[in-house]
Amino acid sequence: MSKTTALILCILLFLVVQIVTWFQLNGQFFNSWAKNNVFILCLMGIPISWLYIEATKMGFIAFEGLIWPGRLLGFAAGIFTFAICANVFMGEGLTTKTVVSLVLATALTLIQVFWR
């Protein structure tokens, strides 16, 4: 697998798993099914963990055996998805602090991807 393919898969997997995790943890606040089926949400932890493992593996391949760049991509994906989901599903606006966090997450992502 090429490093570029691994990088794309790493980013996509982290975005998907962060979104799924957001719903697993925060769905209880706006969805009665999620609030009443906590055990099923806990069982989702198994496939969620597998997706995190696969995303981490792709990052390891993309960054030639380094683990920090992939970790920071996962962190940035979490910041982006959390801000978007909190805004769309919970009505939490983008405050100045959130926007600054998004800018910093973007900077982290760009540093990890392009600084070799």
Side-chain angles (χ1 to χ4, degrees):
M1 172 180 307
S2 74
K3 289 185 278 185
T4 303
T5 301
L7 176 62
I8 292 167
L9 287 172
C10 173
I11 293 169
L12 289 175
L13 285 171
F14 271 131
L15 287 171
V16 168
V17 74
Q18 290 285 1
I19 291 168
V20 173
T21 300
W22 191 91
F23 282 104
Q24 180 198 33
L25 300 177
N26 299 299
Q28 63 181 320
F29 303 124
F30 62 89
N31 182 283
S32 60
W33 183 91
K35 185 176 185 175
N36 296 323
N37 292 283
V38 174
F39 185 72
I40 294 172
L41 292 175
C42 289
L43 292 177
M44 287 177 56
I46 295 169
I48 287 171
S49 295
W50 177 75
L51 287 172
Y52 277 118
I53 291 167
E54 291 300 311
T56 301
K57 184 191 318 180
M58 292 299 111
F60 186 79
I61 293 168
F63 294 104
E64 301 173 324
L66 299 175
I67 58 173
W68 267 111
R71 173 62 190 110
L72 292 172
L73 285 180
F75 167 76
I79 294 293
F80 287 122
T81 58
F82 192 93
I84 292 167
C85 288
N87 182 277
V88 171
F89 297 102
M90 301 288 292
E92 293 186 22
L94 296 176
T95 64
T96 303
K97 181 170 68 171
T98 303
V99 171
V100 169
S101 296
L102 290 171
V103 169
L104 291 173
T106 301
L108 274 173
T109 302
L110 294 174
I111 288 169
Q112 293 305 316
V113 170
F114 295 111
W115 188 342
R116 301 254 173 190

